[in-house]
Amino acid sequence: MQPLSRVTGLPAPGRTVIVGVVNVTPDSFSDGGEFLDPDAAIRHGLELMAEGADVIDVGGESTRPGAVRPTTEVELRRVLPVVSALAEAGAVVSIDTMRPVVAAAAIEAGARLVNDVSGGRAEPDLLRLVAEAELPYICMHWRGHSVDMESKADYVDVVADVIAEVSVQLEACVAAGITPDRLIVDPGLGFAKTGEHNWELLQRLDELDVLGVPLLIGASRKRFLGTLLAGPDGAPRTARERDAASVALTALLAERGVWGVRVHAVRDSRDAADVVARFVRRP
Ligand code: PMM
């Protein structure tokens, strides 16, 4: 088990960090449409804070397989009121975007972390912006936009290939001026990856230690869990009914010492991380 790592500028609660998800989108697979109204999204973010989230991740673009991108204007309109209100309420807000324009406005509105699912590959200018703002950055392994990412799920060895490709992305982060103590890496479960790829990445997670960067995992409510838990008729478990499985993964990942998990069921995940911290670490 790894000692828990720290990221400059972010909470260090002495256990795995809980990143709660607020999707201000009509079409996310996990909670699509529920929080498109800014007031509903703000209420939800406040609830997640009360449930013990360390960070609230606000996103205005769905990345479900096949999703078509919103315009920049639409993305801005979705996320800005939510980022402002939650930052004002004292949350550590993360902005989930690939767009420098959106990140800049969100930072202005109080965001303290940039979560870029493209790891700087969609719009490399985003890296310079994060460096200048001196903010932490989540660099996710990514092969292309969601509209056709499923056709890119082709690997010789998924773990070795992800490590090689995300290393290049991390080098670009450092070259742009983001200091290594502000970097977090994410293997991007479900992004140009099949369920089998996701399981293999989880099973061989310790190999990602070679990257030397704290790890965030986003497994919550993802399709590979629905497939695993399919009923006798073969129908996958719905997104809403994947929370217990997601929490089981939080416990396993916390036990392995991952820096953070990005989750929808905040209270239960936080409970799991607290139990693991007490179970495996000296108080
Ligand atoms: N997954 C989604 C969106 N953003 N960000 C990071 N860093 N890692 C992820 O795995 C990730 C992400 C898509 O899932 P959602 O519908 O739950 O937001």
Side-chain angles (χ1 to χ4, degrees):
M1 190 179 55
Q2 297 296 308
L4 282 170
S5 38
R6 285 167 173 266
V7 178
T8 299
L10 292 177
R15 54 164 166 72
T16 292
V17 165
I18 304 296
V19 178
V21 179
V22 177
N23 284 320
V24 197
T25 58
D27 54 348
S28 291
F29 71 90
S30 51
D31 52 9
E34 219 174 320
F35 310 117
L36 184 57
D37 167 49
D39 289 336
I42 293 163
R43 265 197 311 279
H44 186 56
L46 294 172
E47 271 164 27
L48 297 186
M49 283 169 75
E51 289 182 12
D54 302 295
V55 176
I56 306 287
D57 188 41
V58 178
E61 172 174 355
S62 165
T63 48
R64 73 181 294 155
V68 175
R69 305 194 71 191
T71 63
T72 304
E73 291 65 35
V74 166
E75 191 182 345
L76 280 168
R77 206 175 324 128
R78 288 177 184 169
V79 295
L80 283 186
V82 183
V83 170
S84 303
L86 296 178
E88 191 126 313
V92 176
V93 177
S94 156
I95 178 69
D96 184 346
T97 189
M98 298 181 243
R99 290 179 163 136
V101 173
V102 175
I107 292 167
E108 188 70 33
R112 287 166 52 187
L113 167 64
V114 175
N115 173 23
D116 173 9
V117 299
S118 87
R121 292 191 60 204
E123 294 195 46
D125 285 351
L126 181 53
L127 300 180
R128 177 89 48 208
L129 178 96
V130 173
E132 279 166 13
E134 299 187 345
L135 287 186
Y137 177 76
I138 298 170
C139 177
M140 200 188 83
H141 174 259
W142 188 82
R143 284 186 160 183
H145 287 289
S146 299
V147 69
D148 61 352
M149 68 179 171
E150 292 193 304
S151 67
K152 298 176 178 155
D154 184 20
Y155 300 87
V156 176
D157 172 336
V158 67
V159 179
D161 293 354
V162 164
I163 289 172
E165 291 168 29
V166 87
S167 295
V168 175
Q169 294 174 227
L170 288 169
E171 279 164 24
C173 293
V174 174
I178 304 176
T179 56
D181 59 310
R182 291 193 172 89
L183 284 171
I184 298 158
V185 73
D186 181 338
L189 301 184
F191 287 81
K193 289 164 199 90
T194 64
E196 286 307 308
H197 293 140
N198 295 341
W199 284 115
E200 186 149 6
L201 281 160
L202 288 167
Q203 283 160 343
R204 294 169 55 196
L205 208 59
D206 56 338
E207 294 179 40
L208 272 63
D209 290 350
V210 66
L211 295 167
V213 175
L215 206 58
L216 176 83
I217 302 290
S220 179
R221 292 188 184 167
K222 285 194 175 162
R223 185 168 57 188
F224 73 113
L225 298 177
T227 307
L228 177 77
L229 304 172
D233 59 352
R237 190 76 79 75
T238 64
R240 280 325 174 98
E241 295 172 312
R242 299 173 193 167
D243 280 343
S246 305
V247 173
L249 276 178
T250 292
L252 289 163
L253 293 166
E255 196 275 335
R256 279 155 185 72
V258 307
W259 174 82
V261 287
R262 182 181 178 280
V263 296
H264 303 83
V266 163
R267 185 190 304 277
D268 291 347
S269 291
R270 167 70 189 267
D271 287 355
D274 282 338
V275 167
V276 170
R278 183 63 187 84
F279 189 89
V280 301
R281 295 175 201 285
R282 290 178 202 283

